[in-house]
Amino acid sequence: MMERIERVAIVGAGYMGTGIAQRLAAAGVTVTVTDATPELAEAGRDRALRDVARDVEAGLLPAGTTEAVAANLSAAPTLEEAARDADFIEEVVPEVLEIKHDVLARISAAARPEAIIGSNTSTIPVHRMAGAVEGPQRFLVVHWSNPAHLVPGVELVVGEHTDHALLAAVKEMLARADWVGAVVGDAPGFVLNRLQYALVREALLLVDEGHATAADVDTVLRTTLGFRMPFIPPIAMLDMAGLDVYEKCFGLLQDELGERFSAPEVLTEAVADGRHGMKNGRGLFRDYPPETLEEINAWRAKAYTGMSRLLADLGPMPGTQTPGTQTPDDTHEESHA
Ligand SMILES: NC(=O)c1ccc[n+]([C@@H]2O[C@H](COP(=O)([O-])OP(=O)(O)OC[C@H]3O[C@@H](n4cnc5c(N)ncnc54)[C@H](O)[C@@H]3O)[C@@H](O)[C@H]2O)c1
């Protein structure tokens, strides 16, 4: 099994592919991009270089990054040429099953047997693609988020045949470029989209049911849940706010809104077992020694204050009054319809 990934091939030098390629190349990885034609591959490389130069100009990347990317990033005229010497090959072609199958079959025929093969699919399960790969034990989904060169999180979706031993090499490669890999199962929506679609669905239902304007739903999300989430994401928040409190609230919501708001068994069992969160030192999946509570509170104060400062410095999203929302007037009329 591959110990360390030194050479990467990116198949599909479109929007996501060039984002992935540029950050890997900036981190010192040797990267080759390829596309449906040699011209498209060259155009992808040129676009990546232009994007990096623009970000250096804007002070977002250190001086010298453009030169590093120019040295480490090349374009190959064919998929076969790009895949032949690579340790890791990622397909980033359009989200069409037939194209994925065709490209994955060609990659696995051209790649060395020990090379790791990844797919950037957002929605296609591993088990619907693995059949196209010769040696499905070396195949997984490595799902970058948009924009790949800026968002740190990457889902690593393992299928039933995926050899878990390859995860260490993929995670280490990601870490070199300051991405963070999280291993998730081959279930619909993986983790990111299942969470995201649940949240968006409720947000739109709230607007549809006339409970709040679109702008106010976004404002609530941005200034409460979203504000806290980079520091204390939902499962950690359960421990902080109290598992018993959450269990009660689930009950109230379930009475009014139905089964989709019933408390998950993992929560009710933990509460029955005396796990109430940080306040009694017993969280859902971990314990908290009493001396850490004060440190956690101090860290949280620093985090939230820093977040407020960043938002104030940054100002609203251009063209809007507040970050990430429509202008308040956009939807005012339908507010209480
Ligand atoms: N755009 C996003 O927000 C986003 C986010 C996460 C994941 N993804 C996933 O990433 C993948 C690519 O998305 P994108 O937005 O970069 O699309 P895109 O259309 O910008 O890029 C796809 C590239 O693949 C190339 N291509 C098509 N057929 C090919 C072939 N046979 N061989 C080689 N190259 C070929 C195209 O010419 C194009 O350059 C999809 O699976 C998509 O679901 C996209």
Side-chain angles (χ1 to χ4, degrees):
M1 188 47 66
M2 184 67 54
E3 295 274 310
R4 183 178 157 94
I5 296 167
E6 302 284 1
R7 286 162 303 183
V8 171
I10 300 291
V11 179
Y15 178 66
M16 293 296 289
T18 50
I20 298 164
Q22 73 192 50
R23 185 148 160 171
L24 278 173
V29 179
T30 302
V31 184
T32 306
V33 291
T34 185
D35 204 289
T37 67
E39 293 72 28
L40 284 170
E42 285 291 344
R45 180 182 184 272
D46 292 349
R47 206 170 46 252
L49 278 169
R50 274 200 310 276
D51 288 352
V52 171
R54 183 202 56 211
D55 287 352
V56 171
E57 179 84 1
L60 300 175
L61 288 171
T65 310
T66 315
E67 292 72 16
V69 174
N72 293 332
L73 180 61
S74 59
T78 64
L79 176 159
E80 283 71 18
E81 202 164 309
R84 197 173 49 212
D85 296 322
D87 303 322
F88 172 63
I89 303 123
E90 172 86 352
E91 74 74 12
V92 201
V93 298
E95 191 80 340
V96 178
L97 192 59
E98 296 69 40
I99 303 180
K100 299 283 194 203
H101 276 175
D102 174 54
V103 163
L104 286 169
R106 282 176 59 197
I107 290 172
S108 54
R112 285 155 40 237
E114 67 274 25
I116 300 169
I117 300 173
S119 165
N120 194 49
T121 183
S122 316
T123 54
I124 306 172
V126 175
H127 67 262
R128 296 204 57 199
M129 291 182 287
V133 180
E134 219 175 280
Q137 74 284 349
R138 57 181 171 154
F139 176 61
L140 78 167
V141 164
V142 183
H143 178 217
W144 272 271
S145 270
N146 176 19
H149 67 296
L150 295 175
V151 178
V154 181
E155 289 183 302
L156 306 180
V157 189
V158 291
E160 66 172 310
H161 300 294
T162 310
D163 179 354
H164 287 228
L166 59 75
L167 293 171
V170 176
K171 278 188 173 179
E172 190 280 328
M173 174 198 75
L174 293 172
R176 252 182 279 157
D178 288 330
W179 280 303
V180 181
V183 179
V184 314
D186 192 23
F190 309 140
V191 166
L192 166 60
N193 279 327
R194 184 154 155 197
L195 289 172
Q196 177 164 258
Y197 279 79
L199 185 61
V200 170
R201 180 172 192 274
E202 291 300 330
L204 294 180
L205 285 176
L206 284 165
V207 176
D208 248 14
E209 290 165 6
H211 289 303
T213 64
D216 281 340
V217 168
D218 269 356
T219 297
V220 171
L221 266 174
R222 178 174 63 76
T223 54
T224 60
L225 265 186
F227 181 87
R228 296 188 298 233
M229 229 182 250
F231 313 102
I232 308 172
I235 296 175
M237 187 54 85
L238 272 174
D239 287 350
M240 188 168 265
L243 306 187
D244 52 329
V245 176
Y246 264 78
E247 188 195 29
K248 278 202 190 68
C249 293
F250 268 121
L252 294 171
L253 289 171
Q254 183 185 3
D255 289 345
E256 300 292 332
L257 296 170
E259 273 312 295
R260 75 179 194 280
F261 280 94
S262 63
E265 227 171 78
V266 62
L267 178 63
T268 54
E269 280 172 6
V271 174
D273 191 33
R275 294 196 161 272
H276 288 181
M278 289 185 195
K279 62 190 170 195
N280 75 347
R282 303 188 66 207
L284 187 52
F285 299 113
R286 53 160 292 193
D287 292 336
Y288 296 86
E291 65 274 15
T292 57
L293 297 188
E294 212 163 296
E295 281 172 45
I296 291 173
N297 279 338
W299 177 85
R300 180 180 63 176
K302 216 163 134 184
Y304 290 176
T305 306
M307 181 68 146
S308 290
R309 287 196 187 122
L310 171 67
L311 290 169
D313 282 355
L314 202 57
M317 182 197 278
T320 64
Q321 306 285 316
T322 49
T325 67
Q326 297 100 319
T327 51
D329 284 350
D330 282 356
T331 46
H332 189 72
E333 285 304 311
E334 64 210 62
S335 159
H336 301 289

